[in-house]
Amino acid sequence: MFQLVIHGRGGQGAKTLALMIAETAIQAQSFAQAFPDFGPERTGAPIRSFVRIDQEKIITHEPVTRPDVVIVLDQSLIKNPEVLESLSSSKNPALIINSPDSSGEILKILSQFFDFKGRIHVVDALAAVAEFSGKIHPTVPIIGKLIKITEIISLDDFKKTYESKFLEKLGEESIKQTLKTLEDSYYGL
Amino acid sequence: MGYNQSQKLKSWKDIPPAGLILSPGNSRENKTGSWSNKKPFFDDKKCTQCQLCVNACPEAAINSGKDKKISVNPDYCKGCAACVEACPRKAIKLN
Amino acid sequence: MLAQTGAQAAAEAMRQIDPDVVPVYPITPQTPIVESFSKIVADGLVNSEMIHVESEHSAMSAAVGAQAAGARAVTASSSAGLALMFEVLGVASGMRLPILMNIANRALSSPINIHCDHSDSMGVRDSGWIQIYSENAQEVYDHNFLALKLAEKVSLPAMVMQDGFITSHSLENLEILTDEQVKQFIGRYKPQYPLLNIEKPVTMGAIQLPDYFFETKRQQIQAMSQAREQYDAVAQELSKLTGRSYPKIETHNLENAQAIIVVLNSTAGTALAAMRKLKNEFREKVGLIKIRLFLPFPQEEFREIIKKAVGENLKTIAVLDRAVSLGSDAPIAKEIKNALFDLSNKPQVYSYIFGLGGREIFEKDIKKVYLDLISKKTDHQVKYIGLRQ
């Protein structure tokens, strides 16, 4: 079973990201579960969302405590106890963090708290989307990285899911740019 | 309710579900006239046949006759005096 | 295969039921149910008339009026919303109206809490509604049809529960039936005395004095018994369509189990996962019971299952309640102790409270319960899982 925790602030897309990953997996004939973990909704407050993907039916409904990957959408959350808890899980999860800093700098911050043994993948999401005229959601390059390092869903499948969900709302041009950003991130450009 | 009455009452198996009343107008079976000894008396000299008392009566117990006489059905009149209040000529008194 | 949340699954079931009237008032965490259904109505996919009322009391009142008129009425609520409807829940049941309601379980106040526990649906146990609990989005979907058909068979209202947030906001796999299959299964609503039938006028919801009230209540009691009897046939008919089964009481690994846990809703899944991860030496000694039909409580069936298990190896039962009944035993624990009273050979029954106000329950918590039961590290004191003592 693949388990993922996404940390973000309300409004940054942590919940939607989780739902889209799970939906892609389900459309690809896997079993999946995605659920948010938050109190009363407030923009800007820290939230978590969880994803599980498996080839067998998922019956557990507990929060994810031993993720394989941890995504942090907002660097300001890095010292948050919930984030540190996710990262110090016994599975030594990979960290994908939206940050303009280097992975070394991130590791330095984490070592103030504990000895982090997982791999750190830094994605400068804002820079990645800045070059496009349209409004690309900053989670897009994060997803590209996630798919690259885990292959838990396929790039094509995700593109299909994204298109089906957002084509009407965002228009063809936006979608094209989004899918390009996704690919760039996937291929490490 | 005395035991005489309970012999006429039905078992839970023989009544409609949910307390439904299946036939309209069955309030006629409930003779509310027994609720009061006081009945209204109509002063023919003052009565103009305006029918306001007929409308006011909650039991539809007041009859406006063809012979232009107003009378009350004692089986249903429960002495509420709504007719007394309604009459614009003060032609009704409760006794 | 669809990807839907528990709330969306309820709305999808409602779409296929295509109820005549849907009076609603939002409350977290049931709101996505009515929001999703709202979109379905706006897209013209149903003939339902959605009425946005001013409170849950009005929502249930409107449902009563609509159902009494001869329409299918469906609504949804949670927590304080369900509590606000309380007076009318009894009216719906007393008037024998098979209204369907989706409940996203959420704690009752006070303190105010928007998260999952079962105090809301457990709090209305005596109101005369059939209660079916769902572990995941798939069950929410399936149970809507099961509950509706059973409700209409016995003329009693029914509520289908799912854990607030944990199921309602959780995206999972969902297999749906075709619209035609659902139409065939639920059929047309054939009310016996619809108010809209002006050829046969009736009076509903009238006063009943001490000379008849008791007899009318006795009829309601009979209807609940009939719900218990008719459940299996309806469940089996649905099974044939879906390929999934809906036993009133679902059992896992009971053969030779020394200790079993009884639980309902999503925690049943977590408990099963925890049970399967126990080391082999423990795994064969434990079992799990998930209750699907809570009201009418399947007392006799439960008694028979436990009698058989005691005859094999059963020594202890831990009942996990996600609600308290202040001043008394927890709801499910109480039902179980009651059901087992007449057994000459009884297992020990221990009451555990967990998850109040959304306090999380983990597989490791369940494992600890099992290990405590096996090693007899228990006693008759009520236990609180996850409480900071």
Side-chain angles (χ1 to χ4, degrees), chain C residues 154 156 218-231 296:
Chain C
V154 300
L156 280 175
R218 177 66 184 87
Q219 289 177 334
Q220 222 181 329
I221 293 168
Q222 190 70 7
M224 267 294 185
S225 285
Q226 282 168 347
R228 203 182 279 121
E229 287 159 33
Q230 306 247 14
Y231 177 96

Side-chain angles (χ1 to χ4, degrees), chain B residues 3 7-8 11-12 15 17 21 26 29-30 42-43 51 56 66 85 90:
Chain B
Y3 78 80
Q7 279 167 353
K8 291 190 227 148
S11 141
W12 66 272
I15 53 174
I21 300 169
N26 73 333
E29 295 166 32
N30 191 12
F42 302 88
D43 188 342
Q51 313 286 316
K66 286 201 178 78
E85 294 295 317
K90 308 257 188 287

Side-chain angles (χ1 to χ4, degrees), chain C residues 1-13:
Chain C
M1 180 68 75
L2 300 180
Q4 303 262 281
T5 60
Q8 289 168 331
E12 179 65 11

